[in-house]
Structures are given as structure tokens and as C-alpha cells.
């Protein structure tokens, strides 16, 4: 499958943080959920792809083109939602249309106002008067209105109520119907990613610790719950990480079927993304 | 080029909330000028105030960007850091020039009201001279904003203004103590007068250009 985004050996060092040797491929026609703790490096990685943050080394290709050499051309086909940044709140949706049609050759005024109407956003009100949910919807509409091929979304659904979140997720699902499109989305709401993502990439302390098909993770990985006595009998090669709770142990295993065959342990659950993330980050080897 | 146009439209639309304030500013200073007894200095004051007012209002575009943290977002659009810096300089140079031209126009009208024939060359010298001074102040101000942000940049420019005021006061004090005459009534009778506007404009262009180069260097290295 052709990749829409390829990150190779990306490194970026700050005083107290290092994005260390990041490798990541996002195939066409897929959604990749990017998860990790706050400050793990999700936003920095995304901003490096957009050339907002200068990289120290490594290479980034978007649509097969270098993200620095062909920056403007590439950005024509990217729609972005940043968690912490947007246009001034003193602008109205109408103003934003006037601005954006100068940036994008493919800006679709009709589509933009169709979305504005669909989400019941007032055209002539400054966005400072919008609720937080309305502001997020506006960001997403702007990201979609120039027919991008790649969406880079940093926490796009945080602050939305469940109904609005589902509406937005439906938009993303609709977007991905075109096989030339892809989405890289970071979110702390892992249930959203379980709902829409094809791939899950987990970043911790600036390093990618896991990048797999979501179905493989959910279907093959297992969350084993056992007693201390049972835990002591388990070979450490048969689990990835473990965590001791009050009276029991939680183990994350890569293949629950093999595990079941080998050990006589009754409780092996399907892990959620939260379980996988918590065990990878907080668990012990 | 379209990206620069988009950036300029963004800044102008953000600044539209200043529209009423700019009109009030213009009315107050025009009224102030008309109500004064007619002396040579008042037309000059008008030009300086208009150039200063318009020039400073436009730097508010930086404040809007900082408050909304829109720098990062703007760079996700099909534009570059270079274009964002260029657009800011275009905005500031254009607004200062418009302010100066408006100031000159109002000066001409006031002079005409008092039934005097306006000295166009002197007016041009004062106008372009004002742009030259503004280019110097704004150039330092913009570099400071790119380096330290809007708040620190504003403090630095205030400190600079205070130092400049102290220097002028010290000069006046010294000159007076030496019983010399101050050139209150500046007359450009010299042969150079016809070339001064061109010299001032060329010098302003050079100052803005150097400032742009410095700001761009600062911005390209900046982690947003």
C-alpha cells in the first residue's frame, strides 16, 4: 500500500525533551490514531511534519515529496486542526472565508458555507462569542473546505459533547471513503480512535513504542488478570508489560490465544486502547 | 503572492475593530490642529501624529496573532515563514505611508483654511522625514517583537522612547545653556531640499529592508 506520509529517523532535541528517531508510515486510505501522554511528542511530531517545528535530522515525505523543499505545494493538500492554535477569535466565519480563499487554490466556498449551515454556526458572529464546541467545529470545517488529501488533527474532538463528537467522527469517516485520503489524528479520547482508526501508534517520551493495526491490537492482544501466585508461574517472555494492582496483576500479552493455550488462566479480556497505553507507559517489564 | 494577500486580509480584518478608534483619533487630532492659533509647527505635528497613529495601530496585528496563538496555525496553511514576515512589513509600511499622506492632506487643508499657499516641498520633506523616523522606530520594534514577543517588545520600545526623549531633553538643555538658538523654524532653503524626500524615502526603504532581514532570521530560527 502506498504511503501518504513517511517519517524516517526524525530527531528533534529540546533542553528537556527529545523526539528520538521517529519512524512512521501512514498508508493511503487509512486513519492513524496517535496516542500518548501529554508531552510525549505527538504535537511536536505533527508540527514537524507541517514544518512549523524545525527538525534536527531525519526525513519527512508527504505525498512522496520532501516536506521542506515543497512545503507550499504539500500544504495545499493538507487540512489541519491544532489543539492550541487557530485564527483570531475576532474573526467571523465570513471573514475566515475571505482569508482562506486566498491561501487555497481549491478552497470550496460552497462546501464551507454548507458545513457552516449544517453545524448551525452564525456566519457574522465573531468566534469569540462561540461555545467551545462551536469553535472546534469551525476549525474542522476550515480544515475540510479545501478538499485536502491528508488531515492532520491534534485533539480535534476534545471539548465536544458526545453528540457533536459523533457528528465530527462521521465527517472523518465520510472523508476517508476516498481511498486517496488519510488522517493522522491524536486524541486522548481513545474510544473515538477505537471507533474510527485503522492504525494505532503509541508514543512515549519522544519514542514510538508501538505502531500496529488497531484490529490486530484489539483482537490479538490480551489483558490478563491473575493472582500473584499465577503471575509467578508466567514466563516473562509471554507478556509485554505487567502492572500490580491491589490484589491482582494486569498483564498485556501480544497473543491471547497462545497465552490461553499455555496457561490455565480464566480471565483474559480484550484490551481497550486505554489499557494498552497505560500498561505500555506505566507497566513494568 | 496570494498567500501574502491572504495574510494581509487576515490582519486587516482583525484590525477592523480598531476602525472606530482610528476615526476618533483622526477627528481629535484634526480638531486639535484647527483649534490652535495658526503657527508653522501645527501642520508638522498633524503629519507626525497621523503617521505615528496609523503606524502603531497596525502593529496591533502582532497582538492579535499572539493572543490567538495563530502563528502556528498560519504556518499550516500554504505559506512560508518568509511570506508571513513580508506581509507584516507590507502592512506596517503601507499603514504608516497612508497615515503620513492623510496627515499631509489634512495639513494642506488646514493651511488653505488659513488662506495661505501651502509649501508643498516643505510638506514633502516633513512627510518623508516622518516616514524615515517611523521606519527607524518600527524597524527596531518589529525585530523586538519577533525576538521577545509583543509584550516585551512593547516594553523595549517604551524604554527606547524614554531614552530618546531624555537625549533630546539633554540636547535642548545643553544648547540653551550654551546660549545657542534652537532651529524651531526649520527652513530648507538649501539646494538639497528638492532631493531630501527622495533621500529620506531611500533611507527608509533601506532601514525597513535591513529590519526585515533581521526579523526573518529571528523568525526562521524561532520554535513556535
Amino acid at each position: 500500500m502506498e504511503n501518504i506520509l513517511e517519517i524516517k529517523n526524525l530527531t528533534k532535541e529540546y533542553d528537556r525533551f527529545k523526539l528520538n528517531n521517529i519512524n512512521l508510515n501512514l498508508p493511503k486510505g487509512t486513519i492513524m490514531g496517535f496516542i500518548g501522554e501529554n508531552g510525549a511528542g505527538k504535537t511536536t511530531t505533527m508540527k514537524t511534519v507541517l514544518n512549523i517545528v524545525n527538525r534536527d535530522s531525519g526525513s519527512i515525505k508527504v505525498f512522496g515529496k520532501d516536506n521542506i523543499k515543497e512545503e507550499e505545494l504539500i500544504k495545499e493538500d493538507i487540512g489541519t486542526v491544532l489543539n492550541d492554535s487557530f485564527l483570531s477569535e475576532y474573526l467571523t466565519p465570513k471573514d475566515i472565508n475571505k482569508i482562506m480563499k486566498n491561501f487555497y487554490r481549491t478552497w470550496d466556498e460552497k462546501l464551507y458555507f454548507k458545513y457552516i449551515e449544517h453545524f448551525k454556526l452564525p456566519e457574522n458572529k465573531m468566534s469569540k462569542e462561540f461555545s467551545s464546541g462551536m469553535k472546534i467545529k469551525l476549525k474542522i470545517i476550515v480544515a475540510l473546505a479545501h478538499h485536502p488529501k491528508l488531515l492532520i488533527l491534534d485533539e480535534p474532538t476534545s471539548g465536544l459533547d458526545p453528540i457533536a463528537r459523533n457528528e465530527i467522527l462521521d465527517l472523518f469517516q465520510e472523508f476517508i471513503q476516498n481511498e486517496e485520503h488519510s488522517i493522522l489524528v491524536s486524541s486522548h479520547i481513545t474510544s473515538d480512535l477505537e471507533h474510527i482508526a485503522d492504525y494505532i501508534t503509541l508514543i512515549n517520551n519522544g519514542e514510538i513504542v508501538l505502531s500496529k493495526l488497531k484490529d490486530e491490537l484489539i483482537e490479538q492482544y490480551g489483558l490478563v488478570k491473575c493472582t500473584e501466585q499465577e503471575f509467578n508461574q508466567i514466563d516473562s517472555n509471554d507478556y509485554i508489560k505487567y502492572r500490580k494492582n491491589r490484589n491482582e496483576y494486569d498483564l498485556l500479552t501480544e497473543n491471547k490465544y497462545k497465552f490461553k493455550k499455555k496457561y490455565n488462566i480464566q480471565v483474559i479480556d480484550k484490551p481497550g486502547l486505554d489499557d494498552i497505553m497505560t500498561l505500555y507507559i506505566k507497566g513494568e517489564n | 503572492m496570494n498567500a501574502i494577500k491572504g495574510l494581509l486580509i487576515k490582519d486587516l480584518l482583525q484590525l477592523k475593530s480598531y476602525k472606530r478608534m482610528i476615526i476618533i483619533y483622526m477627528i481629535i487630532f484634526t480638531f486639535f490642529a484647527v483649534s490652535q492659533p495658526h503657527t508653522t509647527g501645527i501642520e508638522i505635528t498633524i503629519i507626525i501624529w497621523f503617521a505615528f497613529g496609523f503606524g502603531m495601530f497596525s502593529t496591533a496585528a502582532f497582538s492579535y496573532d499572539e493572543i490567538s496563538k495563530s502563528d502556528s496555525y498560519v504556518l499550516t496553511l500554504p505559506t512560508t515563514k518568509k511570506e508571513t514576515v513580508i506581509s507584516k512589513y507590507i502592512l506596517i509600511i503601507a499603514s504608516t505611508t497612508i497615515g503620513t499622506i492623510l496627515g499631509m492632506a489634512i495639513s494642506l487643508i488646514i493651511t488653505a483654511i488659513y488662506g495661505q499657499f501651502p509649501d508643498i516641498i516643505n510638506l514633502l520633506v516633513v512627510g518623508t522625514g516622518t516616514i524615515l523616523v517611523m521606519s527607524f522606530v518600527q524597524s527596531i520594534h518589529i525585530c523586538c517583537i519577533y525576538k521577545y514577543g509583543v509584550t516585551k517588545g512593547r516594553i523595549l520600545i517604551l524604554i527606547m522612547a524614554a531614552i530618546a526623549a531624555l537625549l533630546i531633553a539633554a540636547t535642548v538643555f545643553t544648547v540653551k545653556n550654551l546660549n545657542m538658538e534652537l532651529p524651531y523654524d526649520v527652513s530648507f532653503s538649501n539646494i538639497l531640499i528638492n532631493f531630501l524626500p527622495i533621500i529620506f524615502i531611500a533611507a527608509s526603504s533601506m532601514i525597513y529592508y535591513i529590519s526585515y532581514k533581521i526579523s526573518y532570521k529571528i523568525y526562521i530560527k524561532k520554535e513556535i
Side-chain angles (χ1 to χ4, degrees):
Chain A
M1 214 186 302
E2 204 181 329
N3 292 323
I4 209 161
L5 169 67
E6 288 177 356
I7 303 177
K8 277 185 189 156
N9 308 321
L10 172 67
T11 302
K12 170 74 192 171
E13 196 164 358
Y14 293 99
D15 287 345
R16 291 177 185 180
F17 173 74
K18 188 179 179 185
L19 209 56
N20 194 13
N21 203 31
I22 300 289
N23 286 287
L24 195 150
N25 290 326
L26 174 61
K28 271 185 182 174
T30 63
I31 301 179
M32 180 179 280
F34 203 23
I35 57 172
E37 284 181 296
N38 288 330
K42 301 185 295 289
T43 304
T44 309
T45 306
M46 288 176 157
K47 285 188 174 178
T48 317
V49 171
L50 294 159
N51 198 27
I52 300 171
V53 167
N54 306 322
R55 66 185 180 224
D56 293 339
S57 62
S59 71
I60 298 171
K61 282 191 174 175
V62 188
F63 315 120
K65 298 181 178 88
D66 185 272
N67 78 321
I68 297 176
K69 283 181 193 156
E70 302 194 59
E71 182 179 0
E72 279 182 87
L73 195 68
I74 285 168
K75 286 178 179 175
E76 278 278 351
D77 290 323
I78 301 179
T80 314
V81 172
L82 294 181
N83 184 29
D84 59 353
S85 173
F86 190 54
L87 295 170
S88 164
E89 294 190 344
Y90 288 85
L91 297 170
T92 65
K94 245 187 178 167
D95 291 338
I96 291 173
N97 175 57
K98 284 180 198 159
I99 296 165
M100 288 301 170
K101 63 184 179 189
N102 290 288
F103 281 102
Y104 294 107
R105 267 174 279 178
T106 50
W107 180 256
D108 188 339
E109 216 165 316
K110 270 188 187 169
L111 180 68
Y112 174 74
F113 284 113
K114 194 183 118 189
Y115 282 140
I116 292 284
E117 201 185 323
H118 174 78
F119 287 108
K120 297 182 181 71
L121 301 182
E123 283 178 21
N124 292 310
K125 247 189 189 178
M126 287 184 188
S127 65
K128 66 175 180 161
E129 291 167 45
F130 288 8
S131 67
S132 54
M134 288 160 91
K135 284 177 192 170
I136 293 165
K137 284 176 186 172
L138 181 61
K139 282 185 186 185
I140 292 167
I141 292 169
V142 175
L144 287 167
H146 64 282
H147 303 286
K149 289 179 186 156
L150 169 64
L151 287 179
I152 295 182
L153 312 166
D154 189 15
E155 299 286 345
T157 51
S158 69
L160 287 177
D161 61 69
I163 295 164
R165 249 175 41 222
N166 281 328
E167 276 182 297
I168 298 296
L169 294 180
D170 286 345
L171 269 184
F172 296 156
Q173 296 275 28
E174 198 184 306
F175 173 82
I176 210 72
Q177 292 308 309
N178 185 327
E179 286 180 1
E180 293 294 305
H181 292 178
S182 299
I183 303 177
L184 176 65
V185 52
S186 79
S187 180
H188 287 299
I189 309 167
T190 49
S191 58
D192 286 353
L193 299 180
E194 279 171 18
H195 190 55
I196 61 163
D198 300 298
Y199 288 88
I200 296 295
T201 297
L202 171 61
I203 186 168
N204 188 32
N205 285 329
E207 288 183 19
I208 302 279
V209 289
L210 171 80
S211 192
K212 280 203 160 125
L213 276 166
K214 179 197 73 188
D215 290 344
E216 198 182 312
L217 278 175
I218 308 272
E219 296 306 324
Q220 291 198 0
Y221 275 48
L223 180 67
V224 181
K225 290 186 181 291
C226 60
T227 62
E228 188 169 2
Q229 200 182 357
E230 286 168 325
F231 174 74
N232 290 334
Q233 291 165 1
I234 298 169
D235 184 345
S236 63
N237 292 321
D238 290 332
Y239 61 83
I240 302 163
K241 297 263 183 165
Y242 78 91
R243 207 169 173 216
K244 193 184 173 193
N245 293 323
R246 237 184 247 172
N247 299 317
E248 61 175 17
Y249 280 76
D250 283 352
L251 275 70
L252 186 68
T253 176
E254 209 167 335
N255 192 324
K256 63 182 169 201
Y257 304 106
K258 272 188 190 172
F259 197 92
K260 254 183 192 171
K261 270 186 187 172
K262 194 169 174 183
Y263 302 101
N264 185 26
I265 291 173
Q266 297 305 310
V267 189
I268 303 180
D269 293 334
K270 219 182 218 184
L273 288 179
D274 277 344
D275 301 315
I276 294 172
M277 193 166 98
T278 310
L279 273 155
Y280 258 103
I281 294 169
K282 299 287 177 200
E284 293 171 52
N285 287 315
Chain B
M1 201 58 197
N2 266 355
I4 294 180
K5 189 178 161 194
L7 290 162
L8 284 168
I9 291 172
K10 170 186 80 73
D11 286 337
L12 290 172
L13 287 170
Q14 284 174 170
L15 290 169
K16 74 181 172 194
S17 53
Y18 276 92
K19 200 167 59 188
R20 201 173 293 164
M21 208 187 283
I22 291 173
I23 293 169
I24 293 169
Y25 182 94
M26 283 168 62
I27 292 169
I28 289 173
F29 278 96
T30 309
F31 180 75
F32 170 76
V34 175
S35 63
Q36 292 297 305
H38 184 66
T39 56
T40 357
I42 205 67
E43 303 96 64
I44 297 171
T45 315
I46 276 280
I47 295 170
I48 293 169
W49 275 111
F50 270 63
F52 180 80
F54 274 69
M56 292 322 271
F57 277 132
S58 61
T59 55
F62 285 100
S63 306
Y64 281 104
D65 289 348
E66 193 167 281
I67 292 165
S68 56
K69 295 178 186 165
S70 64
D71 275 5
S72 298
Y73 181 74
V74 164
L75 291 173
T76 70
L77 306 175
T79 186
T80 56
K81 285 186 173 177
K82 189 177 186 176
E83 285 174 332
T84 60
V85 177
I86 289 176
S87 77
K88 283 286 188 283
Y89 274 87
I90 292 176
L91 176 76
I92 283 161
I93 294 169
S95 56
T96 307
T97 309
I98 290 168
T100 308
I101 292 168
L102 270 174
M104 286 164 69
I106 290 168
S107 280
L108 275 173
I109 294 165
I110 292 171
T111 322
I113 288 169
Y114 283 102
Q116 289 178 0
F117 186 75
D119 184 343
I120 301 290
I121 291 291
N122 261 4
L123 213 60
L124 271 176
V125 171
V126 174
T128 52
T130 306
I131 291 176
L132 177 64
V133 174
M134 283 302 290
S135 71
F136 186 71
V137 174
Q138 289 173 326
S139 291
I140 296 172
H141 191 195
I142 301 170
C143 290
C144 288
I145 290 174
Y146 275 113
K147 181 78 184 165
Y148 304 107
V150 174
T151 314
K152 282 185 187 168
R154 198 173 288 149
I155 293 168
L156 279 167
I157 202 74
L158 285 174
I159 293 170
M160 271 180 47
I163 292 169
L166 275 173
L167 284 173
I168 292 167
T171 313
V172 171
F173 182 76
T174 316
V175 169
K176 273 193 174 175
N177 277 345
L178 292 171
N179 289 326
M180 287 167 72
E181 265 192 37
L182 280 169
Y184 286 119
D185 189 6
V186 185
S187 66
F188 301 100
S189 53
N190 170 322
I191 195 142
L192 266 177
I193 190 166
N194 293 328
F195 297 105
L196 272 179
I198 297 163
I199 293 167
F200 286 167
I201 291 295
S204 312
S205 309
M206 185 66 79
I207 290 170
Y208 278 128
Y209 181 72
I210 293 167
S211 168
Y212 153 72
K213 284 281 183 191
I214 296 169
S215 295
Y216 176 61
K217 271 196 171 172
I218 294 169
Y219 198 51
I220 201 87
K221 285 180 191 162
K222 200 171 182 180
E223 296 290 355
I224 299 157

